[in-house]
Amino acid sequence: MASELKKVAIVGSGNWGSTIAKIVGSNVLSNPKFDKQVKLYVYEEIVDGKKLTEIINTQHENVKYLPGHKLPENVVAIPDVLEVAHDADVIIFVVPHQFMPNTCKPLIGKLKKDAFGVSLCKGFYINPKGDVDLISNMVRNLLGLECLVVMGANIASEVASGQFCEATIGSRNKSHGLLLKEVLQTDYFRIVVSEDVEVVEACGALKNIVAIGAGFCDGLNFGDNTKAAVIRLGLMEVMKFCDRFYQKHEHRTFFESCGVADLVTTCYGGRNRRVAEAYARCLGQKTIPELETELLNGQKLQGPEAAQEVNHLLRSKNMENDFPLLTAIHRICSGEQPVTSLIDNLRNHPEHL
Ligand SMILES: NC(=O)c1ccc[n+]([C@@H]2O[C@H](COP(=O)([O-])OP(=O)(O)OC[C@H]3O[C@@H](n4cnc5c(N)ncnc54)[C@H](O)[C@@H]3O)[C@@H](O)[C@H]2O)c1
Ligand SMILES: O=P(O)(O)OC[C@H](O)CO
């Protein structure tokens, strides 16, 4: 009987990974379908002279990435990703997307055949053919796993504090979608399952780029109208991007938590916005990576990398002019144009022609 219990593993223990560990660790304790132990992959580092895994396993708190929130004691921190995932039935990937390829490599060919993956990573990657692809496709192609996604308006510290919010699971497999909902849903973290897997995921990746634009507006002291225009044009570009690249989808998916709600929360409360504001305020005196290090204590931005990945795609398809906001944000992040020129790129936006 015990071997039939579903094992849930979590790969990644940053701000969101630790929050998810708090939720999953608690949910499995009260659900007879699941094994009570949740293994958590921790990218090992030394914090105040001690290994982070040891701190988590003794103090039950990720003091670096989610300070002030206790993790359930059945969450066990492990520095070896294969040990975490090899016997799991549900493998939740929640590392900054740029680290996914290297994190997944040790797992190739070593996972349970009927396990499924779940990506909470917001970003894209360049696949072996040189094309820009969804992170869930990396999990599918590299690891041979079915892969669901979870995206939503979920600033980790607020979720960890139990403040009400929503999220969207993207899954075409109904039973896996519902099983995952049992793993994640709480009375304050409410979840809708959508079959529009690609759009759910792309919304999560693209909104980080728009949030950089919102942060630039804040740092340049533009008012609420300008920021609202940037957010709206961002939404239109996100929708156009999905129309161009993920043709079969429902309009309502953009109004799930993964869509408008995540766009709004990230443009007001996210790390991408915060670092972009600081970049605009210092008018190029510091780079975005320098400010990321200075302000985020090891947490990682996803927006600048996603902007570069998207630009790689748009440039290869000669579509940069159709996406002026996404293109301008990439050019500012990469130092090709000054932050003060952001709005000039939007005056003749295709939405206004
Ligand atoms: N934090 C949020 O509010 C939030 C909410 C929803 C989704 N997400 C998404 O979740 C994903 C993970 O973000 P996070 O907030 O949990 O992480 P984070 O940015 O808080 O932390 C960075 C993590 O990366 C790890 N790391 C550093 N170098 C590494 C390496 N070379 N290889 C592997 N890991 C390394 C660190 O140990 C740490 O766990 C991102 O795609 C993010 O967009 C974040
Ligand atoms: O802090 P950010 O900008 O990485 O955004 C966090 C989450 O993605 C919000 O849903």
Side-chain angles (χ1 to χ4, degrees):
M1 179 65 192
S3 63
E4 290 168 19
L5 296 177
K6 301 277 183 208
K7 289 188 199 307
V8 184
I10 302 173
V11 174
S13 53
N15 192 228
W16 188 223
S18 301
T19 301
I20 286 295
K22 183 179 176 198
I23 290 174
V24 174
S26 163
N27 278 353
V28 297
L29 288 179
S30 58
N31 189 324
K33 281 186 192 163
F34 297 106
D35 193 284
K36 301 303 166 219
Q37 187 185 66
V38 174
K39 292 186 202 161
L40 174 68
Y41 168 62
V42 174
Y43 181 79
E44 191 68 283
E45 63 185 287
I46 303 298
V47 178
D48 294 334
K50 281 191 193 155
K51 289 181 175 169
L52 184 55
T53 47
E54 279 175 22
I55 297 175
I56 294 174
N57 289 334
T58 52
Q59 298 179 27
H60 306 291
E61 182 178 335
N62 188 337
V63 294
K64 176 156 182 191
Y65 293 103
L66 190 65
H69 297 275
K70 289 289 174 197
L71 302 180
E73 295 193 9
N74 55 321
V75 172
V76 181
I78 297 173
D80 178 336
V81 70
L82 184 56
E83 189 184 335
V84 167
H86 75 100
D87 60 350
D89 302 287
V90 181
I91 307 169
I92 299 175
F93 293 94
V94 54
V95 295
H97 78 280
Q98 56 270 44
F99 301 136
M100 272 295 278
N102 282 340
T103 303
C104 288
K105 263 183 207 146
L107 306 180
I108 296 172
K110 304 269 175 59
L111 301 174
K112 280 175 79 169
K113 289 279 170 283
D114 54 355
F116 68 88
V118 185
S119 174
L120 277 57
C121 311
K122 292 177 173 174
F124 299 90
Y125 89 113
I126 313 280
N127 71 23
K129 287 190 216 150
D131 297 329
V132 175
D133 208 343
L134 297 166
I135 295 289
S136 63
N137 280 337
M138 191 183 81
V139 174
R140 291 182 191 105
N141 298 334
L142 198 65
L143 303 180
L145 297 183
E146 176 196 347
C147 188
L148 285 64
V149 299
V150 182
M151 302 284 145
N154 303 139
I155 291 190
S157 56
E158 297 178 16
V159 183
S161 298
Q163 293 175 26
F164 179 85
C165 66
E166 299 178 295
T168 316
I169 289 176
S171 175
R172 276 191 272 278
N173 180 325
K174 213 166 199 158
S175 68
H176 284 169
L178 292 176
L179 186 75
L180 182 62
K181 188 165 171 167
E182 289 186 58
V183 172
L184 293 176
Q185 183 158 265
T186 70
D187 61 354
Y188 60 89
F189 188 52
R190 307 304 293 170
I191 296 178
V192 172
V193 183
S194 161
E195 291 190 3
D196 259 347
V197 189
E198 289 86 1
V199 169
V200 171
E201 184 173 357
C203 281
L206 292 166
K207 62 86 193 177
N208 284 330
I209 310 174
V210 181
I212 298 272
F216 290 157
C217 290
D218 291 341
L220 294 166
N221 294 321
F222 294 156
D224 294 332
N225 296 341
T226 308
K227 186 164 163 179
V230 164
I231 295 172
R232 186 192 88 84
L233 292 172
L235 176 63
M236 299 314 285
E237 292 193 20
V238 168
M239 291 166 69
K240 189 194 281 184
F241 187 95
C242 292
D243 286 343
R244 296 267 172 101
F245 298 109
Y246 313 111
Q247 280 167 12
K248 240 178 111 232
H249 58 263
E250 285 185 54
H251 200 62
R252 64 160 287 155
T253 307
F254 297 109
F255 303 98
E256 297 291 352
S257 183
C258 62
V260 175
D262 198 8
L263 186 63
V264 170
T265 202
T266 313
C267 287
Y268 282 87
R271 299 167 295 187
N272 287 283
R273 188 219 65 80
R274 184 172 164 219
V275 173
E277 177 184 11
Y279 181 71
R281 286 206 189 286
C282 79
L283 290 173
Q285 293 304 300
K286 292 180 183 173
T287 64
I288 289 181
E290 281 168 353
L291 290 163
E292 179 184 41
T293 305
E294 195 175 302
L295 296 175
L296 296 186
N297 189 32
Q299 295 184 34
K300 291 285 168 192
L301 291 182
Q302 305 286 265
E305 301 247 358
Q308 185 177 23
E309 291 144 8
V310 164
N311 188 258
H312 178 88
L313 176 64
L314 297 179
R315 211 163 3 102
S316 72
K317 307 259 181 214
N318 203 16
M319 287 185 190
E320 282 178 298
N321 290 340
D322 298 337
F323 295 88
L325 179 67
L326 299 181
T327 300
I329 291 167
H330 164 66
R331 289 184 182 158
I332 294 168
C333 289
S334 61
E336 286 169 59
Q337 68 178 67
V339 65
T340 44
S341 65
L342 173 71
I343 299 304
D344 292 333
N345 294 78
L346 306 182
R347 295 191 199 282
N348 289 311
H349 196 283
E351 286 298 314
H352 308 142
L353 301 177

